[in-house]
Amino acid sequence: MAPAEFRHLVRNNQFVSPTAGICPGFSQANLIILPKEDAYDFLLLAQRNPKPIPILEVSELGQRGLKRLGQDLDIATDIPKYRVYQDGVLVDEPLSIEKYWSDDFVSFSFEDLLLEAGIEIRHIEEKVNVPM
């Protein structure tokens, strides 16, 4: 399945399972979305730790797309399930984060670079959800 086709299934809530191993050969990545006030600290952490946190792309402030990772990509709707934390507490696990979206969000995407470097990712190999 092509990534754009898969994203449309997710956007329409037709796929709500873990995504490990879907669309082989294309980037599958973890995503973190942070308010602007926390984004620089996370970027600095990632730059100082490029092996465990390889950054594929950083969005522009408030933008819901990631230009390098795909056309017609909306990070607020195109992930099967989100985990929303407020003050370190899990408050929701929605299928879309449109109601939470803020114009001061910055998003970071990473994981595929680990695979390219030959680092095995167990949850992908076993086709199970990511470790939490």
Side-chain angles (χ1 to χ4, degrees):
M1 177 180 331
E5 182 182 359
F6 176 68
R7 285 193 300 271
H8 284 244
L9 288 175
V10 173
R11 191 177 298 169
N12 293 314
N13 297 329
Q14 295 174 320
F15 187 97
V16 295
S17 301
T19 61
I22 301 293
C23 301
F26 291 92
S27 293
Q28 177 178 335
N30 290 307
L31 175 71
I32 185 168
I33 302 170
L34 298 167
K36 178 184 173 185
E37 67 187 47
D38 299 321
Y40 177 77
D41 289 337
F42 180 79
L43 183 58
L44 190 59
L45 172 72
Q47 287 176 333
R48 289 180 177 168
N49 298 278
K51 291 192 187 251
I53 313 171
I55 300 294
L56 293 176
E57 186 167 359
V58 179
S59 74
E60 295 294 327
L61 186 64
Q63 296 299 306
R64 290 171 36 169
L66 294 168
K67 296 174 186 169
R68 287 184 44 217
L69 295 183
Q71 300 295 319
D72 190 27
L73 186 152
D74 184 340
I75 59 174
T77 61
D78 294 356
I79 294 173
K81 193 178 207 181
Y82 298 82
R83 288 187 168 210
V84 178
Y85 290 85
Q86 291 177 343
D87 299 319
V89 176
L90 179 65
V91 296
D92 198 2
E93 293 186 274
L95 301 180
S96 165
I97 56 167
E98 290 179 291
K99 73 179 185 179
Y100 292 104
W101 193 260
S102 173
D103 288 337
D104 79 334
F105 281 169
V106 177
S107 63
F108 300 86
S109 181
F110 56 95
E111 188 171 275
D112 191 57
L113 293 176
L114 294 172
L115 294 170
E116 286 178 16
I119 299 170
E120 296 177 0
I121 301 178
R122 190 173 190 180
H123 70 274
I124 292 174
E125 290 176 13
E126 296 180 359
K127 297 184 181 348
V128 296
N129 200 6
V130 297
M132 305 293 174

